[in-house]
Amino acid sequence: MGPAKSISDDEVLGKAYDARLMRRLLTYLRPYRLRVIASILLLLVVTVLELSGPVLVQIAIDNYISVGDNAGLVRIALFYFGILVSSFVLAYIQFYSMQAIGQRVQYDIRMQLFRHLQAMHLGFFDRNPVGRLVTRVTNDVNVLDELFSSGVVAVFGDIMTLIGIVVAMLYYNVELALITFAVIPFLVLATAIFRRRVRDTYRDVRMWLAKINAFLQEHLTGMTVIQLFNQEKRTFNRFSDINEKLRAANFRSIYLYAIFYPTVELIETVAIALLIYYGGLRIGISLLTFGELVAFLQLVERFFRPLRDLADKYNILQASMASSERIFKLLDEPPRVTAPASPKTIPDFKGEIVFDNVSFAYNEPDYILHEVSFTVRPGEKVAVVGATGAGKTSLASLLLRFYDYQKGDIRIDGMSLKAMSPEYIRSFMALVLQEVFIFSGDFAGNIHLNRSDITAEQVAEAARQVGLGGFIERQPQKYQTEVQERGATLSTGQKQLLSFARALAYNPKILILDEATSSVDAETEALIQTALDKLMQNRTSIIIAHRLSTIEKADRILVMHKGVLRESGTHQELLALKGIYYTLYQTQFNFANGSRNHAQV
Amino acid sequence: MANDKPGRFDHLLPILKRYYGYFWFGTLATAFSNALILIVPYLTKLAFEAIQQGQPSAAVFRLSLAMVILAVVAGVFRFFMRRSIIWASRKIEYDLRGTLFSKLLTLDPGFYHTSKTGDLMAHATNDIEAVRMMVGPGVMQVVNAVVSTVVSLAFMIALSPKLTIVTVLPLTLLSLVVNRLGTLAHKKYQIIQAHFAYLTTRVQENLAGVRVIKAYRREGSEIDRFAEASRTYIDMNLSMIRLVGLFGPMLAIIVGGVTLLVLFVGGREIMAQRLSLGTLVAFFGYMGWLTWPIMALGWVISLYQRGTASLDRINRILNTQPLILDPGKSKSSPTKVKGKIEFRNLTFAYPRPDGTTGAPVLSDINLLIEPGTRLGIIGPTGSGKTTLVSLISRLYPTQAGQLLVDDIDIRLWPLAPLRRGIGFVPQETFLFSDTLEANIDFSAEENRSGRVVEAAMLAALHEEVEGFPQRYETILGERGITLSGGQKQRTALARAIMKQPAVVILDDATSSVDTETEEKIFANLETILPGRTSIIISHRVSSLKNCHRIVYLADGRIAEAGTHDELLAKNGPYAALYRRQLMEAELEKM
Ligand SMILES: Nc1ncnc2c1ncn2[C@@H]1O[C@H](COP(=O)(O)OP(=O)(O)OP(=O)(O)O)[C@@H](O)[C@H]1O
Ligand SMILES: Nc1ncnc2c1ncn2[C@@H]1O[C@H](COP(=O)(O)OP(=O)(O)OP(=O)(O)O)[C@@H](O)[C@H]1O
Ligand SMILES: [Mg+2]
């Protein structure tokens, strides 16, 4: 038992721009680089086309309207129209192609993450709450998509527009341009202050939202416990606390926006006022035309346009930096339990299992298995008993290579587990887990788990063997009846049987049962025993159980105690030893007899 | 009253009402700020005319200065606009989320079995945010749009009716387009959201069931299934993009078109000496002020659609009648459980999500448990044992027949004292990812100092906890995964013992515990059970020793009941079971 360390990085929010992350993100564009380049070129063209508007207005006013050239006005109007239409078409194509790239990248990253998670070792899942990992694969990837499809490109487009405007202004009139630019420092200052503050509040908002989500996830699944213990009020108060913190963070951001937007508007008006005043002076001495002043006014208006959704873009950028940081951190976490470079297979499978001085710790240095050694001969049926927490489940987990042992070795038919690929090992073993998990879907799906070569008959046969056939047959859609999330509407024993049926349907060469019938009644258990005896003839099986009845037919019994293998032998041998097993057995026997004694009193 | 259907805003309005003041003030501020800032283009016109007529630069300077002053004042109003309306929307969000969660706290396990946790979480976050967007930014934009449209129009008509028509008609088109696109997009958006929820569920289940996936090597097929779902997701997105991609270019072409029309028509008017250049410039200004609000109107419509769709989903929860109604406290209502439990002709079937009920799980149960006695329940898997005891804690509503606690119908018991009096250890353990201590001390009763250790000792857990590096401060993994099966069960047992309940119910609570530890636990319980009523469910006959009475449940009916001896004498299913288990033990002894 160790500390449950976890990367609680929902709360970490880095900088708004991080060159290292950005570079890594851009590598995802590599497969699509031609399209990206095409899209950027298109964007350039569209920007130029859109900026030509004010210029055309200027020409129209100065060259035609002021001199009363009607035909000229018609000509330029038609030209303008042509530009509008072509920029409409090009802008649409540009937008779509960029978004399509964004979607593909989103798909690539999501699949990379999902594959990576499928390869991760179980120790990783012990430390990281499911909800958090789900967020990585779903929401965080979506945020990145936004970055690719709008954020980066939009910012790029904005910058090009701004440059275009500056060039156009300087071209018309350097002096007036410089006068207009006088407001820029104020704009930069306002944005800089805003940016810093908004980053902090945004981080707070994200953090409290993540906490609300985590809280809901846990307390909605544990609602029955809350109600059974009358903790509704306390739970509500704890929820309100977080909700309140979230509100406070949001309040802080309101002030920022409420000040920032009017400030930008004010600066824009100041720029216009400056333009009009100085422009008027210049026109007075014929250094400027009216058309040019009008063009200037329109250019200024466009200069401020990108700032209207600056906060949004900034948030996208920041959110995507944070998301990519979390995603990369997850991708950089190496899968611990992996196949060796050249995995071996067992040439002639017999099913001998050897534990050779195995020591294991979930979290070093808290060892929970100490130098465990034993051999299970091919076709043997071995039972493992021992007090709760003795390390029986851990033993089974090691055998399937859910975790890697630190010392010693485990061998199957003489081949070290670490020399084979985990998938290969699991291809001939089946483990019925102590902790039952039922998927949503139907009964059949829960048994064959989407393995296409398991037939409907095999599924039904497996269900019958565990004594669940009758129950399923009575359901409205039989094997196609849907079960709820985590099998919520089944009895505990039914769930256990369902997960048992899986193992039988997979027809393994080595079967490991971890308390597989602890919640099942004695009669059904006996039925399963009979089926197993037939099924596992000449096949190796390891059975972990607390009930003597479950292990009665074992060829050999291993007794675990506090992580150490203390006794091993047949039932008779162990009784004769008068050790742990003997006392264990005595208690159970007396316990069983107790009811009779009590009844006799 | 029968067709008194709940209205869409029934739950939202009372909350909104609390903040009417904010909305009024915000509306006024919005109106003022818009009215003021819209004077600016008119001043531009005056300035242009002044320049054209060669007036002294002081006149132009005064006009420019006036613009800046107007912008400052308008800015102050803008500040108050957000500070009041958006502020109120955040308060509404907070209140609504609180209302929703407190409703969720009253809903029964049946509700949770049939709803997906992910959906419920989405209601409490995304849906509430959508409602907030509707009542906050949505309302603000409506006011904004209405005021700036009216004021701009007034100025424009005063300046030139002809140009006004030229400007307004295409912009109306814009509003229609935005609205149409918005509606289409909304429909697609809903489908995409549903698929995204599916995607989320796939990942969620895959990761929660990772041990099974790995044990059975399902990684490959899981990846295939997920790839298919992700592909569908991006295909849906692309079809959405084809639609909303029209938005920006459409806006550009319509605004450009209006500029062109104004330039063309206005230019001819100027040439005909019917219009000044200043007026044309002012028009360009008003056009800018009109475009955004009109477009915003289209946006507001989609905010409204999203908001109401979300509100409907939230309402569905808020309108759910909890199947378990707390009768509340009255003078005559009981305050403390003494421990007498009686089932009278009780028949029970689980309600289905569609409102019907399935086949009965319990039939004609008649059972009297005297205070201070111990009842054992045994029976095949799925025979209804868990169901029977869940009814005592009132997790499900009773239907036909009666269930009495201390001779009072369970429906008349206020929930708090009833549940406080019952220590129920459910068959499946749920622990919180908190410290061990917080988990054991979950009921957080008064004077609990030292009782956590005491409870852990009774549950035979203390010794092991002492061996953990952080002892009772050990933080558990999600659902307690970092504990062994038996440790989890005993933590749940300690948690129930902490309550010192009058009725103890153990639903197969030692199934993952070895016999020796189980024996220890039962011995410990002996010290606290006398005087308390207890119900013990088990599959092992041995665990039912010391029970005053044993009930054998089969197919939801009491097949037989009596003391151990009586049952043996009856030679029914219990006796058969007993002989089987005893024989096993004795055979081995030989
Ligand atoms: N994932 C984990 N991370 C850290 N510690 C763990 C983890 N799983 C189990 N442990 C600890 O390892 C020890 C052995 O646990 P294990 O589950 O192997 O016991 P067990 O013999 O199967 O017990 P039981 O009979 O109760 O199921 C326990 O002290 C437990 O707290
Ligand atoms: N929430 C539910 N909704 C619908 N049916 C249910 C629900 N819970 C249980 N059932 C069904 O009711 C029957 C009785 O279930 P119950 O959990 O009471 O059995 P049990 O006797 O406790 O079994 P076990 O020994 O496996 O714990 C079973 O057939 C089960 O499938
Ligand atoms: Mg049960």
Side-chain angles (χ1 to χ4, degrees), chain A residues 144-168:
Chain A
L144 280 196
D145 162 50
E146 245 179 276
L147 171 74
F148 279 111
S149 53
S150 44
V152 175
V153 184
V155 170
F156 195 70
D158 289 348
I159 290 174
M160 283 207 287
T161 310
L162 290 185
I163 293 175
I165 291 173
V166 169
V167 170

Short mmCIF file of all heavy atoms in Angstrom, two decimals, chain A residues 144-168:
data_model
loop_
_atom_site.label_atom_id
_atom_site.label_comp_id
_atom_site.label_asym_id
_atom_site.label_seq_id
_atom_site.Cartn_x
_atom_site.Cartn_y
_atom_site.Cartn_z
N LEU A 144 -6.99 21.32 -28.89
CA LEU A 144 -5.91 21.39 -29.87
C LEU A 144 -6.45 21.60 -31.27
O LEU A 144 -5.87 22.33 -32.08
CB LEU A 144 -5.10 20.10 -29.85
CG LEU A 144 -4.09 19.98 -28.73
CD1 LEU A 144 -3.13 18.87 -29.07
CD2 LEU A 144 -3.35 21.27 -28.56
N ASP A 145 -7.55 20.92 -31.55
CA ASP A 145 -8.16 21.06 -32.87
C ASP A 145 -8.50 22.52 -33.12
O ASP A 145 -8.26 23.07 -34.18
CB ASP A 145 -9.41 20.19 -32.94
CG ASP A 145 -10.32 20.60 -34.06
OD1 ASP A 145 -9.79 20.74 -35.18
OD2 ASP A 145 -11.51 20.80 -33.83
N GLU A 146 -9.03 23.17 -32.08
CA GLU A 146 -9.36 24.58 -32.23
C GLU A 146 -8.13 25.41 -32.55
O GLU A 146 -8.17 26.34 -33.33
CB GLU A 146 -9.99 25.08 -30.93
CG GLU A 146 -11.42 25.50 -31.10
CD GLU A 146 -11.98 25.95 -29.77
OE1 GLU A 146 -12.42 25.09 -28.99
OE2 GLU A 146 -11.95 27.16 -29.50
N LEU A 147 -7.03 25.02 -31.91
CA LEU A 147 -5.79 25.75 -32.16
C LEU A 147 -5.41 25.63 -33.63
O LEU A 147 -5.10 26.61 -34.29
CB LEU A 147 -4.67 25.19 -31.28
CG LEU A 147 -3.29 25.74 -31.61
CD1 LEU A 147 -3.17 27.17 -31.11
CD2 LEU A 147 -2.21 24.88 -31.03
N PHE A 148 -5.46 24.40 -34.14
CA PHE A 148 -5.03 24.20 -35.51
C PHE A 148 -6.01 24.83 -36.49
O PHE A 148 -5.62 25.44 -37.46
CB PHE A 148 -4.90 22.71 -35.82
CG PHE A 148 -3.61 22.16 -35.33
CD1 PHE A 148 -3.55 21.28 -34.27
CD2 PHE A 148 -2.42 22.58 -35.92
CE1 PHE A 148 -2.35 20.79 -33.83
CE2 PHE A 148 -1.20 22.09 -35.46
CZ PHE A 148 -1.17 21.19 -34.41
N SER A 149 -7.29 24.65 -36.21
CA SER A 149 -8.25 25.07 -37.22
C SER A 149 -8.57 26.55 -37.15
O SER A 149 -8.90 27.14 -38.15
CB SER A 149 -9.51 24.23 -37.12
OG SER A 149 -9.99 24.27 -35.82
N SER A 150 -8.49 27.15 -35.99
CA SER A 150 -8.78 28.59 -35.99
C SER A 150 -7.66 29.39 -35.35
O SER A 150 -7.16 30.34 -35.92
CB SER A 150 -10.10 28.86 -35.29
OG SER A 150 -10.18 28.11 -34.11
N GLY A 151 -7.26 28.99 -34.17
CA GLY A 151 -6.29 29.78 -33.41
C GLY A 151 -5.08 30.23 -34.22
O GLY A 151 -4.96 31.41 -34.58
N VAL A 152 -4.22 29.28 -34.56
CA VAL A 152 -2.96 29.63 -35.21
C VAL A 152 -3.19 30.40 -36.50
O VAL A 152 -2.62 31.47 -36.73
CB VAL A 152 -2.16 28.34 -35.57
CG1 VAL A 152 -0.93 28.71 -36.35
CG2 VAL A 152 -1.79 27.60 -34.32
N VAL A 153 -4.07 29.85 -37.32
CA VAL A 153 -4.27 30.44 -38.62
C VAL A 153 -4.90 31.82 -38.51
O VAL A 153 -4.51 32.76 -39.21
CB VAL A 153 -5.15 29.51 -39.48
CG1 VAL A 153 -5.29 30.07 -40.86
CG2 VAL A 153 -4.55 28.14 -39.51
N ALA A 154 -5.87 31.94 -37.61
CA ALA A 154 -6.52 33.22 -37.45
C ALA A 154 -5.51 34.27 -36.99
O ALA A 154 -5.47 35.39 -37.51
CB ALA A 154 -7.67 33.12 -36.46
N VAL A 155 -4.68 33.89 -36.04
CA VAL A 155 -3.68 34.84 -35.55
C VAL A 155 -2.73 35.20 -36.69
O VAL A 155 -2.39 36.37 -36.91
CB VAL A 155 -2.88 34.23 -34.38
CG1 VAL A 155 -1.69 35.10 -34.04
CG2 VAL A 155 -3.77 34.08 -33.16
N PHE A 156 -2.35 34.21 -37.46
CA PHE A 156 -1.49 34.43 -38.61
C PHE A 156 -2.15 35.42 -39.58
O PHE A 156 -1.55 36.39 -40.02
CB PHE A 156 -1.27 33.08 -39.28
CG PHE A 156 -0.14 33.06 -40.25
CD1 PHE A 156 1.16 33.14 -39.80
CD2 PHE A 156 -0.38 32.96 -41.61
CE1 PHE A 156 2.22 33.12 -40.70
CE2 PHE A 156 0.67 32.94 -42.50
CZ PHE A 156 1.96 33.02 -42.05
N GLY A 157 -3.42 35.15 -39.88
CA GLY A 157 -4.17 36.03 -40.77
C GLY A 157 -4.26 37.44 -40.22
O GLY A 157 -4.09 38.43 -40.93
N ASP A 158 -4.52 37.53 -38.91
CA ASP A 158 -4.62 38.84 -38.28
C ASP A 158 -3.32 39.61 -38.43
O ASP A 158 -3.32 40.81 -38.75
CB ASP A 158 -4.93 38.69 -36.79
CG ASP A 158 -6.35 38.22 -36.56
OD1 ASP A 158 -7.11 38.24 -37.55
OD2 ASP A 158 -6.67 37.83 -35.44
N ILE A 159 -2.22 38.93 -38.19
CA ILE A 159 -0.93 39.61 -38.26
C ILE A 159 -0.68 40.11 -39.69
O ILE A 159 -0.27 41.25 -39.90
CB ILE A 159 0.21 38.66 -37.82
CG1 ILE A 159 0.08 38.42 -36.31
CG2 ILE A 159 1.57 39.26 -38.14
CD1 ILE A 159 1.03 37.41 -35.76
N MET A 160 -1.03 39.28 -40.67
CA MET A 160 -0.84 39.71 -42.05
C MET A 160 -1.72 40.90 -42.36
O MET A 160 -1.30 41.84 -43.03
CB MET A 160 -1.15 38.55 -42.99
CG MET A 160 0.01 37.56 -43.01
SD MET A 160 0.10 36.66 -44.53
CE MET A 160 -1.27 35.58 -44.33
N THR A 161 -2.96 40.87 -41.86
CA THR A 161 -3.85 42.00 -42.09
C THR A 161 -3.26 43.27 -41.49
O THR A 161 -3.23 44.33 -42.12
CB THR A 161 -5.22 41.73 -41.44
OG1 THR A 161 -5.66 40.46 -41.86
CG2 THR A 161 -6.23 42.78 -41.83
N LEU A 162 -2.77 43.15 -40.25
CA LEU A 162 -2.21 44.33 -39.58
C LEU A 162 -1.03 44.88 -40.39
O LEU A 162 -0.94 46.10 -40.60
CB LEU A 162 -1.75 43.96 -38.17
CG LEU A 162 -2.87 43.65 -37.18
CD1 LEU A 162 -2.33 43.41 -35.78
CD2 LEU A 162 -3.90 44.78 -37.15
N ILE A 163 -0.17 43.98 -40.87
CA ILE A 163 0.98 44.44 -41.65
C ILE A 163 0.49 45.14 -42.92
O ILE A 163 0.95 46.24 -43.27
CB ILE A 163 1.89 43.25 -42.01
CG1 ILE A 163 2.54 42.71 -40.74
CG2 ILE A 163 2.96 43.68 -43.02
CD1 ILE A 163 3.37 41.47 -40.95
N GLY A 164 -0.49 44.51 -43.57
CA GLY A 164 -1.04 45.11 -44.78
C GLY A 164 -1.57 46.51 -44.52
O GLY A 164 -1.34 47.44 -45.30
N ILE A 165 -2.27 46.67 -43.40
CA ILE A 165 -2.85 47.98 -43.08
C ILE A 165 -1.74 49.00 -42.87
O ILE A 165 -1.80 50.13 -43.38
CB ILE A 165 -3.74 47.86 -41.83
CG1 ILE A 165 -4.99 47.04 -42.19
CG2 ILE A 165 -4.13 49.23 -41.32
CD1 ILE A 165 -5.85 46.72 -41.00
N VAL A 166 -0.73 48.60 -42.10
CA VAL A 166 0.37 49.52 -41.84
C VAL A 166 1.03 49.95 -43.15
O VAL A 166 1.27 51.14 -43.39
CB VAL A 166 1.41 48.85 -40.90
CG1 VAL A 166 2.68 49.68 -40.82
CG2 VAL A 166 0.81 48.67 -39.52
N VAL A 167 1.26 48.97 -44.04
CA VAL A 167 1.88 49.29 -45.33
C VAL A 167 1.00 50.26 -46.11
O VAL A 167 1.47 51.29 -46.62
CB VAL A 167 2.11 48.00 -46.14
CG1 VAL A 167 2.52 48.32 -47.58
CG2 VAL A 167 3.18 47.15 -45.47
N ALA A 168 -0.30 49.96 -46.17
CA ALA A 168 -1.20 50.82 -46.93
C ALA A 168 -1.20 52.24 -46.38
O ALA A 168 -1.17 53.22 -47.13
CB ALA A 168 -2.61 50.23 -46.89
#
